[in-house]
Amino acid sequence: MGKIRTRFAPSPTGRMHVGNLRTALYAYLIARHAGGEFILRIEDTDQERYMEEATPVIYRTMQATGLIHDEGPDKDGGVGPYIQSERQKQGIYLDYAKRLIEKGEAYYCFCDRERLEGLKETVAGKEIAIYDKHCLGLSREEIEEKLAAGVPYVIRQNNPRTGTTVFEDEIYGRIEVENAELDDMILIKSDGYPTYNFANVVDDHLMGITHIVRGNEYLSSSPKYNRLYEAFGWEVPVYVHCPLITNEAHQKLSKRSGHSSYEDLVEQGFLTEAIVNFVALLGWSPSENREIFSLKELEEAFDYHHMSKSPAVFDLTKLKWMNGEYLKAMEFETFYAMAEPYIRKVVTKAYDCKKIAKLIQTRIEIFPDLMEQIDFFEALPEYDIAMYTHKKMKTNPQTALAVLEEMLPLLMAQEDYGNDALYAAISAFIKEKGYKNGYVLWPLRTAVSGKQMTPGGATEIMEIIGKEESLARIRTGIEKLREGGMHADASE
């Protein structure tokens, strides 16, 4: 076999499903790994589902994910056109279907819907409509007459009804199918358009595709494809069938799941690099024990022989973890540019958002997570004084009140509210009093944030909100604690 050529052949019917993205990625990686060529072909022959605005989505997604094609509608490599409707207008599919008719491998079928409805058969316990080859027996004269009279027709593949068809799949091994199950599938529909199955075979051959990557739902159709290749006398390509992708409940990942398309995930705050990395591992295991791969590293490591047969689970928790790893490793300026719009949604005051971003870069898994972690910068939330209790720090509302009252004059006198200066002043106070760090810093952080978990410690928060706001919040804390103490005394 010469140079490896793979293709991604999406139908423009909406957003790019995760399964489609994986097919594109694997086809791309197989080609790149072997120094081959990766082709983009647009399959728009399903006129009922076709969406004009979906074609730009395909280009945008390929561009964003780095899956750059060598040939396609916008890059002619000499085997175009690369859009099926344009190929159909040139009569390519009808021409090849007629070649099969001449060889006896296909035939015209003029049966109407009513007749076809009555052809249900039970095979292996399933009710399926198997065409009875009724029109195969028509004479040449009868066919010419019907064609001249404009009777609607389809062109069907002439498959044998006895024996078996065998083929080798790269992942699933030897697959054997009873020919009785192979319907005489339609090659050209009554509207003159080819079926998906037929157009695929013709285009893959004419474009020199050597390796075909697709979902394992096409396994059962492969014998029909192979019979077409053999009928034409063409070389059968290498099939690489990918395992099913399921949700955590082991059901097929549906478009309704809310995270089934590339755009859904981007809108939810996931990074493109993390999505590509995650999707690569949905059915493929690297030979070394690692999970974080750039696209370049995937090109080197990807060997399709290491793909799995068993379904791959789309584990959102794992994707979030992986995304978090990418955020941690990101250059700060890049992180800040992406995080800033989310920060501004919840922090409208004139605080230094870069300092806030620095505190949260290693603490979030996806961008939207940061909003509930930093909303306290905007305004002190309502909180319960029970939050001042921390067993390990040996604090409670009484000790917290005493500490905050002692600290207030010191913090009022403090001019420099930079983190380092504040920390030095508070550390000196702690040392002088003989306190433990947490005994002072826990109540202080609770007072300035009103939260138990915050990005950054007390002094980092105080630097961002500044002296006036810090003191106002500490005074609020003292008031709350005094009120709480009075209630406690009254109840005793």
Side-chain angles (χ1 to χ4, degrees):
M1 191 180 278
K3 185 170 262 199
I4 283 184
R5 280 172 67 85
T6 65
R7 49 80 169 162
F8 175 50
S11 301
T13 56
R15 292 187 154 197
M16 196 181 292
H17 190 272
V18 166
N20 282 5
L21 179 60
R22 181 184 63 175
T23 300
L25 176 61
Y26 285 6
Y28 171 87
L29 292 174
I30 288 170
R32 290 286 172 267
H33 185 74
E37 286 152 355
F38 173 60
I39 289 92
L40 174 66
R41 182 172 76 227
I42 304 291
E43 303 204 332
D44 59 348
T45 54
D46 186 344
Q47 291 297 292
E48 285 172 22
R49 292 175 63 226
Y50 174 71
M51 287 165 65
E52 198 177 332
E53 65 276 17
T55 305
V57 170
I58 293 167
Y59 284 110
R60 272 205 312 273
T61 306
M62 305 280 285
Q63 189 69 41
T65 51
L67 307 183
I68 309 302
H69 50 280
D70 300 300
E71 293 174 29
D74 54 342
K75 292 181 192 172
D76 188 11
V79 290
Y82 295 83
I83 297 175
Q84 280 188 339
S85 56
E86 290 178 20
R87 296 172 74 76
Q88 193 257 345
K89 284 188 190 112
Q90 292 185 1
I92 292 173
Y93 307 115
L94 190 59
D95 175 43
Y96 277 93
K98 285 177 174 170
R99 291 188 197 187
L100 289 180
I101 291 174
E102 282 162 28
K103 292 176 150 197
E105 296 284 356
Y107 57 95
Y108 290 102
C109 170
F110 301 93
C111 293
D112 58 23
R113 179 164 290 173
E114 207 177 336
R115 182 171 189 282
L116 296 172
E117 288 292 317
L119 293 175
K120 297 279 197 306
E121 263 189 50
T122 303
V123 175
K126 281 188 297 192
E127 191 181 48
I128 49 175
I130 289 209
Y131 185 64
D132 61 357
K133 295 187 182 286
H134 176 75
C135 290
L136 183 61
L138 295 175
S139 66
R140 189 171 279 259
E141 292 73 38
E142 287 173 297
I143 292 168
E144 296 296 343
E145 205 175 290
K146 285 181 186 290
L147 289 175
V151 178
Y153 69 87
V154 298
I155 296 177
R156 288 182 180 274
Q157 184 178 3
N158 184 13
N159 277 323
R161 296 303 307 272
T162 56
T164 56
T165 296
V166 176
F167 79 99
E168 284 292 325
D169 180 75
E170 289 292 300
I171 310 303
Y172 290 84
R174 182 186 163 93
I175 305 278
E176 198 168 312
V177 177
E178 295 291 325
N179 288 340
E181 286 182 39
L182 299 185
D183 190 18
D184 282 1
M185 71 170 176
I186 294 172
L187 307 179
I188 302 288
K189 297 180 280 192
S190 54
D191 62 4
Y193 274 89
T195 54
Y196 170 82
N197 293 327
F198 184 57
N200 251 293
V201 168
V202 172
D203 290 345
D204 285 338
H205 172 74
L206 295 178
M207 292 182 175
I209 304 302
T210 61
H211 290 63
I212 293 175
V213 181
R214 58 178 174 226
N216 71 354
E217 65 269 26
Y218 293 104
L219 262 178
S220 57
S221 309
S222 297
K224 298 179 194 176
Y225 301 138
N226 286 6
R227 297 207 70 86
L228 285 172
Y229 279 104
E230 283 155 20
F232 281 119
W234 296 340
E235 191 180 337
V236 176
V238 173
Y239 294 121
V240 182
H241 286 98
C242 308
L244 182 70
I245 300 176
T246 71
N247 59 20
E248 281 103 331
H250 303 291
Q251 298 148 332
K252 187 176 177 180
L253 193 66
S254 79
K255 291 192 175 165
R256 290 189 299 280
S257 74
H259 51 250
S260 69
S261 82
Y262 167 73
E263 286 94 337
D264 289 339
L265 295 170
V266 169
E267 283 167 12
Q268 285 161 31
F270 289 98
L271 296 169
T272 295
E273 296 84 351
I275 298 169
V276 170
N277 187 162
F278 176 75
V279 168
L281 300 173
L282 288 175
W284 168 76
S285 307
S287 50
E288 51 186 311
N289 186 19
R290 61 183 278 212
E291 297 195 288
I292 305 293
F293 287 88
S294 68
L295 186 60
K296 204 89 212 118
E297 289 166 337
L298 283 170
E299 288 174 24
E300 284 167 35
F302 191 82
D303 176 353
Y304 68 83
H305 297 96
H306 289 190
M307 279 168 60
S308 166
K309 292 181 205 172
S310 39
V313 178
F314 188 100
D315 179 350
L316 201 58
T317 308
K318 182 173 175 179
L319 174 55
K320 281 186 173 175
W321 165 80
M322 189 175 274
N323 203 69
E325 293 301 300
Y326 273 86
L327 290 179
K328 284 183 191 121
M330 203 181 243
E331 290 279 328
F332 175 71
E333 290 302 327
T334 312
F335 173 81
Y336 177 63
M338 296 178 84
E340 191 191 11
Y342 293 94
I343 296 173
R344 296 274 181 214
K345 277 183 188 171
V346 288
V347 179
T348 60
K349 292 185 173 168
Y351 294 148
D352 186 336
C353 286
K354 270 199 172 171
K355 285 181 178 168
I356 296 176
K358 275 216 162 75
L359 295 183
I360 52 178
Q361 180 167 4
T362 59
R363 293 178 57 100
I364 58 166
E365 292 186 322
I366 50 172
F367 287 115
D369 286 353
L370 66 80
M371 295 194 288
E372 60 180 296
Q373 288 197 30
I374 64 166
D375 53 5
F376 71 87
F377 281 108
E378 181 72 4
L380 189 65
E382 270 303 315
Y383 67 93
D384 193 307
I385 62 165
M387 278 171 53
Y388 284 99
T389 301
H390 195 301
K391 280 186 183 160
K392 199 174 155 201
M393 311 287 185
K394 298 193 168 49
T395 65
N396 59 44
Q398 289 77 30
T399 66
L401 176 59
V403 161
L404 292 179
E405 285 177 335
E406 275 186 286
M407 291 282 295
L408 189 59
L410 170 80
L411 294 169
M412 285 165 69
Q414 177 73 17
E415 287 301 320
D416 184 348
Y417 259 65
N419 178 45
D420 295 345
L422 273 170
Y423 195 78
I426 292 166
S427 296
F429 166 82
I430 289 170
K431 197 171 175 190
E432 184 198 323
K433 297 285 184 183
Y435 293 146
K436 288 267 195 304
N437 279 3
Y439 186 79
V440 172
L441 292 172
W442 179 264
L444 195 55
R445 196 183 62 147
T446 305
V448 294
S449 71
K451 289 204 170 192
Q452 279 183 306
M453 300 277 288
T454 58
T459 55
E460 289 168 301
I461 293 166
M462 290 164 74
E463 176 182 39
I464 291 167
I465 62 175
K467 181 171 182 176
E468 201 181 315
E469 180 68 15
S470 297
L471 294 174
R473 291 184 179 197
I474 291 165
R475 288 189 182 109
T476 301
I478 290 171
E479 274 170 41
K480 270 178 175 287
L481 289 162
R482 281 179 181 160
E483 271 177 36
M486 279 156 55
H487 291 314
D489 293 343
S491 66
E492 284 168 18

